[in-house]
Amino acid sequence: MRHTTLLFLAITSLTLPAASEVRGLDQPARIFVPVLVANLNGANGSVWQTELWATNTSDQPVLYQIAPCNQSDCNRANTVPPQNTVPIGESPRPAGRWLPVDPAIHLALRLRDLSRNAASAGIDIPIIRENDFRADEINLNAIPRDARFRVTLRVYGLDAGGDVMVDQLAVNGNLVGTIPVTLAPPTDPGLLSGYAQVALDTTPDTTPIRLRIRPRTSNLRIWALVSITNNVTSEVTVVQPYRQ
């Protein structure tokens, strides 16, 4: 995987020349995309790619800039025309990154295996808001332990690293195992999150389990997902927390 220069969040209220008016945000909120990859080689010849799309649902141009710009007309280059859907170029970040929010811009993130384009159009990946990060616990339900799949848990910390405990619970609520996990702190808080990744073991008992993730570090807020990848087809299923 190639190393890349850290990008910064930039969304401003510049104005295009001539008659066009571009709306920006003075103090944008933010959302989190949990994975961004490009031509990432995986198991069994798979090649993983994320595609980030932005749709301008308004009737006026919207400036949506997420990276430094060295073009002669950065304002125009980062403007999404009315009612248009455009791809957003992004630096690969397997542990995700924060993006600015504009009420008119609707984002969509899709992950696909380029080696199997003819078989699948990919899977939608959830885009997370700050209030999805929890200080009490995250539950991920009906996680298989079948050896035909690779099961990976990804845990994110809101602007911080820290310790969490991952409880594995049987369908009847009995505790079958615990895993202490430490999230690495973000190298650039505000752009990146705390992060840890855990490959879960399969067992002879293929009955699904529930994962309960609880922060052990004071004031740590977390979010998590599980990816379940078929060893033969590379088809991916994503399990995310229930949203109340």
Side-chain angles (χ1 to χ4, degrees):
M1 184 184 308
R2 65 178 184 273
H3 294 285
T4 55
T5 304
L6 290 179
L7 304 181
F8 62 86
L9 300 179
I11 189 166
T12 58
S13 54
L14 304 177
T15 303
L16 281 174
S20 299
E21 293 184 356
V22 177
R23 182 171 55 78
L25 291 180
D26 295 327
Q27 294 181 336
R30 58 180 184 161
I31 53 178
F32 187 73
V33 291
V35 59
L36 292 170
V37 294
N39 295 309
L40 177 64
N41 293 323
N44 302 321
S46 57
V47 182
W48 298 101
Q49 176 91 19
T50 49
E51 297 173 347
L52 182 63
W53 297 87
T55 298
N56 178 3
T57 62
S58 75
D59 294 325
Q60 60 178 315
V62 173
L63 176 63
Y64 191 75
Q65 182 177 338
I66 67 171
C69 178
N70 57 8
Q71 301 183 37
S72 59
D73 191 351
C74 290
N75 191 13
R76 190 178 301 278
N78 291 283
T79 295
V80 184
Q83 301 299 325
N84 275 225
T85 299
V86 300
I88 299 294
E90 79 284 350
S91 172
R93 298 185 186 278
R97 64 163 291 180
W98 291 96
L99 294 174
V101 169
D102 185 295
I105 296 293
H106 293 191
L107 297 177
L109 181 65
R110 183 166 295 171
L111 173 69
R112 61 192 181 101
D113 178 4
L114 298 180
S115 72
R116 293 172 172 81
N117 275 338
S120 175
I123 183 172
D124 281 347
I125 301 297
I127 295 177
I128 313 307
R129 297 186 178 273
E130 284 193 43
N131 60 9
D132 290 320
F133 285 75
R134 303 293 299 269
D136 49 1
E137 66 181 42
I138 293 287
N139 285 277
L140 299 168
N141 299 321
I143 306 301
R145 294 183 288 173
D146 194 318
R148 294 173 298 178
F149 300 91
R150 303 189 301 278
V151 181
T152 303
L153 169 67
R154 293 172 171 85
V155 185
Y156 304 84
L158 181 62
D159 295 330
D163 296 326
V164 302
M165 183 63 74
V166 180
D167 295 329
Q168 302 178 65
L169 302 169
V171 292
N172 61 4
N174 289 341
L175 183 66
V176 297
T178 60
I179 308 172
V181 175
T182 297
L183 279 61
T187 56
D188 189 349
L191 178 65
L192 307 177
S193 73
Y195 182 70
Q197 179 174 313
V198 180
L200 300 179
D201 295 332
T202 58
T203 67
D205 181 1
T206 58
T207 305
I209 59 173
R210 170 165 59 102
L211 298 180
R212 181 177 62 197
I213 305 106
R214 293 174 168 175
R216 300 179 65 192
T217 298
S218 178
N219 299 320
L220 178 63
R221 291 171 58 190
I222 61 171
W223 187 83
L225 65 77
V226 162
S227 61
I228 305 163
T229 308
N230 186 282
N231 291 326
V232 176
T233 67
S234 290
E235 181 179 351
V236 176
T237 300
V238 170
V239 180
Q240 61 177 304
Y242 173 72
R243 284 181 172 176
Q244 297 180 341

